[in-house]
């Protein structure tokens, strides 16, 4: 992406590190925009927070913000936290348009936007952010999308990313979503982290201490978990 500044759009606190370490660790000005960083009203904790052992969702969000600062500092990066409510907190008036508007406020006019592709994700969070990035593209930004880990690896690695022998199902699932975005495997940019960067990525991912056990329970069987060594992005064509 050359010398231009880059903003990685991260639905949750951890997505940029899990999927775009090669950019965070790379040269140039790289910022992160975390979308779902809002605290819910006090009350019983929400489902993912319960799954990850929290007893209070307000406290948990504060812990996650602290973890993210630590993780990004390993790459010398910082984030804008947009404060939208995560799906688990059942937001009432969230919209793709509102997310796109806030992103436009924090992303420099000439920055390259790198956003989730929303490959085989469940729920709406990643998909809403991906759709918001398409709105930024329509308003003139250069937009790239990334394979969002660990969700995109729900059926394992596509064979073409890392030579996986059993990637046929993942190949099809990725191709379906990529077709919606107007890209395919031939236009993918695959970054393979070297040993040093794998180690630093592992250190950064491990900083998300409240999340790592929950992620392991859901995705620990995937090869390379949690510092997935191959990261994939696509540049989207202008509309
Ligand atoms: Zn996420």
């Amino acid at each position: 992406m050359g010398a231009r500044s880059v903003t990685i759009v991260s639905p949750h606190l951890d997505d940029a590190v899990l999927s775009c370490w090669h950019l965070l660790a790379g040269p140039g000005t790289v910022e992160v925009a975390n979308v779902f960083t809002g605290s819910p009203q006090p009350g019983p904790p929400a489902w993912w927070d319960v799954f990850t052992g929290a007893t209070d969702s307000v406290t948990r969000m504060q812990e996650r913000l602290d973890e993210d600062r630590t993780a990004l500092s390993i790459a010398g990066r910082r984030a804008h936290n947009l404060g939208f409510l995560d799906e688990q907190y059942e937001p009432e008036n969230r919209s793709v348009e509102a997310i796109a508007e806030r992103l436009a406020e924090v992303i420099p006019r000439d920055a390259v936007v790198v956003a989730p592709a929303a490959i085989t994700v469940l729920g709406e969070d990643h998909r809403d952010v991906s759709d918001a990035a398409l709105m930024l593209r329509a308003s003139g930004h250069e937009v790239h999308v990334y394979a969002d880990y660990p969700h995109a690896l729900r059926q394992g690695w596509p064979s073409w990313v890392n030579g996986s022998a059993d990637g046929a199902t993942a190949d099809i699932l990725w191709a379906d979503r990529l077709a919606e975005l107007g890209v395919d495997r031939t236009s993918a940019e695959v970054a393979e982290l070297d040993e040093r960067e794998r180690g630093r990525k592992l250190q950064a991912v491990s900083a998300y201490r409240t999340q790592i056990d929950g992620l392991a329970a859901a995705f620990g069987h995937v090869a390379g978990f949690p510092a997935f060594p191959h990261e994939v992005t696509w540049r989207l064509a202008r509309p």
Side-chain angles (χ1 to χ4, degrees):
M1 282 166 222
R4 296 170 62 190
S5 86
V6 169
T7 301
I8 302 168
V9 184
S10 190
H12 305 109
L13 299 153
D14 68 10
D15 287 305
V17 166
L18 283 162
S19 301
C20 295
W21 182 259
H22 73 286
L23 295 175
L24 292 168
T29 302
V30 180
E31 295 185 329
V32 175
N34 292 317
V35 177
F36 301 116
T37 60
S39 279
Q41 293 297 314
W47 79 270
W48 175 256
D49 293 341
V50 171
F51 183 66
T52 57
T55 54
D56 177 75
S57 286
V58 176
T59 305
R60 174 47 54 90
M61 182 52 77
Q62 197 54 54
E63 291 168 339
R64 293 179 69 178
L65 287 162
D66 292 344
E67 291 168 356
D68 188 59
R69 266 189 293 277
T70 301
L72 294 179
S73 73
I74 293 168
R77 308 299 185 185
R78 298 173 64 151
H80 301 277
N81 296 318
L82 304 194
F84 287 91
L85 284 184
D86 179 311
E87 194 175 16
Q88 66 168 333
Y89 302 137
E90 302 178 359
E92 283 176 12
N93 296 314
R94 212 177 87 183
S95 70
V96 171
E97 290 77 11
I99 294 168
E101 272 176 34
R102 276 293 289 139
L103 285 170
E105 286 169 14
V106 301
I107 297 175
R109 198 60 219 144
D110 61 346
V112 175
V113 176
V114 184
I119 298 172
T120 73
V121 291
L122 303 177
E124 292 171 4
D125 284 349
H126 281 240
R127 184 55 190 258
D128 282 359
V129 174
S130 196
D131 287 348
L134 296 183
M135 295 182 76
L136 296 180
R137 179 182 64 158
S139 65
H141 275 284
E142 178 179 325
V143 174
H144 298 231
V145 293
Y146 59 83
D148 13 17
Y149 298 156
H151 315 281
L153 303 175
R154 198 175 294 286
Q155 298 295 331
W157 289 91
S159 53
W160 57 268
V161 175
N162 66 350
S164 166
D166 53 358
T169 305
D171 283 1
I172 293 167
L173 293 172
W174 282 43
D176 285 350
R177 174 60 181 150
L178 296 178
E180 293 174 356
L181 294 166
V183 292
D184 61 27
R185 56 184 282 181
T186 67
S187 56
E189 292 178 48
V190 181
E192 182 175 1
L193 303 177
D194 63 22
E195 206 168 312
R196 176 171 180 272
E197 288 307 333
R198 285 184 205 192
R200 294 204 322 141
K201 181 176 180 180
L202 180 60
Q203 197 187 348
V205 172
S206 302
Y208 297 102
R209 285 196 307 255
T210 65
Q211 304 299 300
I212 197 78
D213 290 348
L215 290 173
F219 296 98
H221 60 285
V222 179
F225 178 90
F228 303 109
H230 293 83
E231 299 177 341
V232 191
T233 57
W234 295 261
R235 178 178 176 168
L236 301 186
R238 298 210 179 263

